[in-house]
Amino acid sequence: MAEKEVQQNQQNAQQDISKLEEVRRQKLMDLQAAGKDPFVIVKFDQTHHSQEIKDRFDELAAKTDEEGNEISPAVSVSVAGRMLFKRVMGKASFCNIQDRDGRIQIYVARDDIGEEPYADFKKMDIGDIIGVKGFAFRTKTGEISVHAKELTLLSKSLSPLPEKFHGLTDTDARYRQRYVDLIVNEEVRDTFKKRSQIIREIRNFLADRDFMEVETPMLVSNAGGAAARPFETHFNALNEDLKLRISLELYLKRLIIGGLERVYEIGRVFRNEGLDTRHNPEFTLMELYQAYTDYYGMMELTESMYRYVAEKVCGSTLITYGGKEIDLGKPFRRLTMVDAIKEETGIDFDLVTTDEEAKKIADEHHIEYEERHKKGDIVNLFFDEYCEDKMIQPTFIMDHPIEISPLTKKKPQDPTKVERFELYINGWEMCNAYSELNDPIDQRERFAAQDALSAAGDEEAQHTDEDFLHAMEIGMPPTGGIGYGIDRLVMLLTDSAAIRDVLLFPTLKTIGK
């Protein structure tokens, strides 16, 4: 189809919508002139939701004897929702309304609600929000419905739903108008219900393990705890430049030092980076810290939590993502980063002793690196290139190079590595965990190394945090810590292709800019 023809069709469609909006606005003015303004109604006593009526139908419906005589009346119910279907048939009509739980059919008869209310009902539009008082019954076709005795227009829809409400398919429009997306796409509502359930079950799991939920600052002077470029802002009252946090780590560790022992936070963090199917500049992170344990304790907690949440939310530890079966019920595989690379390439970086030798191997395999990179950075680049996307079943990748882990405790038997793991599922990094560094002298040296990287132009390097160092000098117990990307977990458990599908309001470029 020619571009001009497409533009003409779009203009015609917009003109049609404008005419429909004019008609709806006129209907509203007519209602207001008749003293029936729906927007002056302040409440409606909603006693039941659609699914509850279906689940409890035998309890709510009228009881009859074997001969069909009523022996007890139906329970009165009041439901409310958005009308998504209407079929007018003379003196009796049907409509469907959608509430929080789903849809239910409403039977509307003139003789039951009255002649004038019935005439008003016939003028109602798809998208209007109505309240219905009546009783539950089954139609001749067996569909559980509500027989209306009263019907009230609670809100007038002045803009029609898209494509005759059969579905909003343009992805950009769906993300920008999530409110419409939630109305017309049932699977989208289900995804966000599951998201809420996932977060609730994480909280339940951690409560059973005596973790305490806390809140820490979002506006900080030093955005540390991760390798990421922060967003910057200005605080007028103090005339200070501040940053939005990139991690929850350093404040939660202060609480461990303060003696709280088991703490976690579920909160938004902000990283000034690109957009793709797995990254959004603001996302939900859950970090937890537990005193007197190490990264092996964090592995046990992670494995147990993933099984628990999958069972609660999906009903099984065997899930499907993108047509692939993923088994969260089996013990998660444990593999060092060096051994993972060796499996895929045959290269054993434990036998590589210098940065120059590591760079030579990178050159031979066409792995791009920066001049400042050391052997540990090269190891990480090799893992990203050859291994990450192979980790479909749950796998703990352990013992990272010290160069890429500035807040992690060294392995006593090999100080070039740290006690760290990342969990990979479906080729994605799902979490990042450590035996936390609690030596303030070692920590100061690592911060100094990060400062040097920053001075050399690394915008993601961390900076020395003197208050955090002072807290560590007070004394920090041995601690295990972990960070989970909640959005990626929701993607996995809802079989969602992109992070924008699990964020109610993802970051989008402003139209016209």
Side-chain angles (χ1 to χ4, degrees), residues 216-378:
T216 61
M218 288 190 182
L219 287 172
V220 296
S221 58
N222 189 345
R229 183 180 176 183
F231 287 94
E232 298 183 1
T233 188
H234 184 77
F235 185 14
N236 292 334
L238 296 180
N239 193 27
E240 284 187 12
D241 290 332
L242 296 175
K243 299 176 177 68
L244 294 175
R245 66 185 180 186
I246 61 174
S247 169
L248 313 175
E249 179 170 349
L250 300 185
Y251 281 96
L252 291 176
K253 284 183 175 178
R254 286 169 167 89
L255 300 180
I256 292 293
I257 293 165
L260 297 186
E261 292 195 5
R262 297 188 183 201
V263 295
Y264 78 96
E265 181 175 5
I266 298 175
R268 289 298 241 203
V269 296
F270 310 86
R271 298 183 182 179
N272 200 347
E273 57 191 18
L275 293 163
D276 60 35
T277 57
R278 283 185 278 163
H279 294 89
N280 194 71
E282 57 173 310
F283 61 98
T284 303
L285 186 64
M286 191 269 276
E287 289 195 33
L288 65 84
Y289 293 86
Q290 179 179 340
Y292 311 113
T293 190
D294 62 2
Y295 74 146
Y296 287 107
M298 294 294 97
M299 285 187 211
E300 182 280 323
L301 183 147
T302 298
E303 198 165 334
S304 298
M305 189 180 77
Y306 266 67
R307 288 200 189 106
Y308 172 89
V309 173
E311 190 72 54
K312 291 288 186 180
V313 175
C314 304
S316 172
T317 55
L318 189 64
I319 64 171
T320 301
Y321 185 90
K324 300 185 293 282
E325 276 197 351
I326 296 172
D327 194 344
L328 300 175
K330 292 180 179 177
F332 293 6
R333 191 183 186 201
R334 300 184 180 190
L335 191 65
T336 69
M337 182 175 280
V338 167
D339 285 343
I341 295 169
K342 187 176 178 180
E343 275 192 6
E344 296 298 329
T345 68
I347 300 168
D348 187 349
F349 274 99
D350 280 342
L351 303 179
V352 176
T353 57
T354 66
D355 298 337
E356 290 71 24
E357 187 180 353
K359 289 180 179 179
K360 182 181 177 183
I361 294 171
D363 290 336
E364 292 169 353
H365 288 77
H366 308 291
I367 300 293
E368 294 184 6
Y369 58 87
E370 298 177 26
E371 189 58 36
R372 63 181 175 82
H373 281 158
K374 298 183 178 181
K375 172 191 165 182
D377 300 296
I378 303 296

Side-chain angles (χ1 to χ4, degrees), residues 249-250 253 256 287-290 293-295 298 406-410 419-420 432-439 443 446 468 472 476-483:
E249 179 170 349
L250 300 185
K253 284 183 175 178
I256 292 293
E287 289 195 33
L288 65 84
Y289 293 86
Q290 179 179 340
T293 190
D294 62 2
Y295 74 146
M298 294 294 97
L407 297 172
T408 314
K409 186 171 286 191
K410 296 174 185 175
E419 293 196 343
R420 173 186 175 188
N432 193 8
Y434 313 97
S435 294
E436 300 296 339
L437 181 62
N438 64 337
D439 178 348
Q443 181 65 79
R446 297 202 209 181
F468 177 65
M472 289 187 72
M476 176 176 168
T479 298
I482 192 163

Side-chain angles (χ1 to χ4, degrees), residues 389-455:
D389 61 355
K390 311 291 194 311
M391 307 292 164
I392 303 302
Q393 298 304 318
T395 304
F396 290 121
I397 295 297
M398 307 160 51
D399 301 350
H400 295 52
I402 193 170
E403 291 90 342
I404 62 169
S405 310
L407 297 172
T408 314
K409 186 171 286 191
K410 296 174 185 175
K411 288 186 70 66
Q413 61 271 47
D414 185 353
T416 68
K417 299 174 185 172
V418 295
E419 293 196 343
R420 173 186 175 188
F421 73 81
E422 294 171 296
L423 172 63
Y424 283 87
I425 304 175
N426 191 48
W428 303 344
E429 177 201 332
M430 301 300 296
C431 65
N432 193 8
Y434 313 97
S435 294
E436 300 296 339
L437 181 62
N438 64 337
D439 178 348
I441 298 172
D442 189 356
Q443 181 65 79
R444 182 174 291 279
E445 291 172 355
R446 297 202 209 181
F447 272 144
Q450 290 286 300
D451 286 334
L453 290 176
S454 178

Side-chain angles (χ1 to χ4, degrees), residues 75-121:
V75 175
S76 177
V77 298
S78 295
V79 294
R82 189 179 301 276
M83 185 165 62
L84 294 184
F85 169 82
K86 184 175 74 168
R87 185 170 76 246
V88 176
M89 302 182 302
K91 297 180 181 180
S93 301
F94 287 94
C95 69
N96 280 0
I97 65 168
Q98 177 174 281
D99 62 12
R100 178 194 68 190
D101 294 345
R103 299 180 185 183
I104 193 164
Q105 180 171 266
I106 310 296
Y107 173 71
V108 186
R110 186 186 66 182
D111 292 344
D112 287 305
I113 68 170
E115 191 166 333
E116 185 176 340
Y118 189 68
D120 290 340
F121 166 74

